[in-house]
Amino acid sequence: MNFFAPCPRGLELLLADELRALGATDPKTVPGGVRFAGDWALCYRANLESRLATRVLWEVTMARYRGEEDIYRAAYAPTWARWFTPEQTIRVFVTAHKSPLRSLEFVTLKIKDAVCDHFRTVVGSRPSVDTQTPDIRIHAFLSVDTVTLYLDTSGDPLYMRGFKQAAVEAPLKENLAAGILRLTGWKPGQEALMDPMCGSGTFLIEAAQMALDVAPGLGRRFGFEKFKNFEREQWLPIRQAAEARRQAPRSLPIYGSDILEAQERKSIVNLRSAGLDGCVTVSRADMLEVAAPAPSGVLVANPPYGVRLSDMSELRDFYPRLGSALKAHWAGWRCYFFSGDPELPKGVRLKASKRTPLFNGAIECRLYEFAMVAGSARKPKGEGGAADAD
């Protein structure tokens, strides 16, 4: 069977590698996700184990279209009644790229009508629509001349791990945080990790789960569990194997801090809710003053960047002090900042050794790497001149 797993833009190659390791056949990246093939067991594993996917969508049908009636016929044809019942609620989601059709709302209505008409014909009754908590999610993607229909095997987005209780104003999605940790090259169990702006603790929780080999979906349910063709006898061993693999909580070289006491408390509450109480050291501290907890490691942070949390004048004052703090306290560390502000490297007065494009929703961002070397990087005179100390 064919599947599509959307993910935050910029993480497609990492997701393809992750799905390949789970057993996916010939994963192919496209902007915003990965297409792959496999069986239901792979679908179950991908939902349970993927740290990077937003959803796992099962391709039901693909057809060419010129107008809305063609889409109606394509949506009427699949044997929907084999996969769910009219007593279950549905919702239709439509996205498009270069589609000539003017109204996606009208396309959504036509697909909903086609599915309901199919049920009236086959079983004599139709499912109801629930826009808040539907049992079954049907996704449609329109290209220039094709429509692809999917059943959502995930239900709630996979970045909703099922345990976080305390949120912050501008949260970082868990799958994006996991992808950023992968991009840093952090080695769980071998390197220290620090988030000095930890907020609700997203980086800390994802890192601790990686270190303890905790499957990210162990704390939640999935959409495929509501399908008529759900194979519980195949699913249970997959889940039980993940539970058996999970390591017992222990103290880890993972650290977090925040200047606000309320944010510190949120991190502690969320770590406890995730079963990670005592695994991570969390404190209240100013990023500009906190000292490195180890001689070397990975620092990762998602600072405010003027879109929702701070005005630009505050950031322009903060950046030079941040650069000074990195040089004073973090020698020997690889420091990563995820930001939508292209002025961050110039503001901190450091040269970024890497700039990885990523998207936080619709916001184009970069993951900036600053390798903080101990001492000066300048060469003595007579050895080729002065190198850039940054």
Side-chain angles (χ1 to χ4, degrees), residues 61-84:
T61 188
M62 177 187 289
R64 293 192 175 275
Y65 75 91
R66 288 188 177 181
E68 289 86 351
E69 290 306 314
D70 297 324
I71 293 175
Y72 173 91
R73 285 190 289 271
Y76 182 89
T79 54
W80 301 107
R82 291 178 55 192
W83 306 316
F84 59 96

Side-chain angles (χ1 to χ4, degrees), residues 34-183:
V34 177
R35 302 184 187 281
F36 64 100
D39 57 13
W40 279 114
L42 172 64
C43 173
Y44 299 163
R45 284 197 303 274
N47 275 286
L48 178 65
E49 302 279 2
S50 177
R51 300 189 188 279
L52 307 180
T54 301
R55 300 180 182 276
V56 178
L57 304 177
W58 171 41
E59 183 179 317
V60 171
T61 188
M62 177 187 289
R64 293 192 175 275
Y65 75 91
R66 288 188 177 181
E68 289 86 351
E69 290 306 314
D70 297 324
I71 293 175
Y72 173 91
R73 285 190 289 271
Y76 182 89
T79 54
W80 301 107
R82 291 178 55 192
W83 306 316
F84 59 96
T85 71
E87 288 72 38
Q88 292 174 291
T89 57
I90 65 170
R91 184 179 177 185
V92 176
F93 301 81
V94 177
T95 56
H97 180 64
K98 296 183 178 179
S99 172
L101 302 183
R102 295 183 178 180
S103 173
L104 296 187
E105 289 80 7
F106 186 57
V107 172
T108 302
L109 180 63
K110 296 296 286 186
I111 294 172
K112 183 269 296 180
D113 287 346
V115 174
C116 291
D117 289 348
H118 165 90
F119 272 93
R120 283 197 188 96
T121 301
V122 174
V123 299
S125 60
R126 50 153 286 180
S128 300
V129 172
D130 183 343
T131 59
Q132 299 300 315
T133 56
D135 296 315
I136 303 294
R137 292 168 166 88
I138 299 167
H139 291 253
F141 176 73
L142 307 181
S143 67
V144 174
D145 59 357
T146 62
V147 54
T148 308
L149 294 172
Y150 302 92
L151 276 177
D152 187 345
T153 71
S154 301
D156 290 331
L158 293 178
Y159 57 73
M160 298 178 67
R161 308 299 201 209
F163 53 78
K164 184 174 283 189
Q165 295 183 4
V168 295
E169 181 182 345
L172 192 68
K173 297 291 190 296
E174 282 74 3
N175 58 340
L176 179 54
I180 290 171
L181 289 173
R182 295 270 179 88
L183 288 169

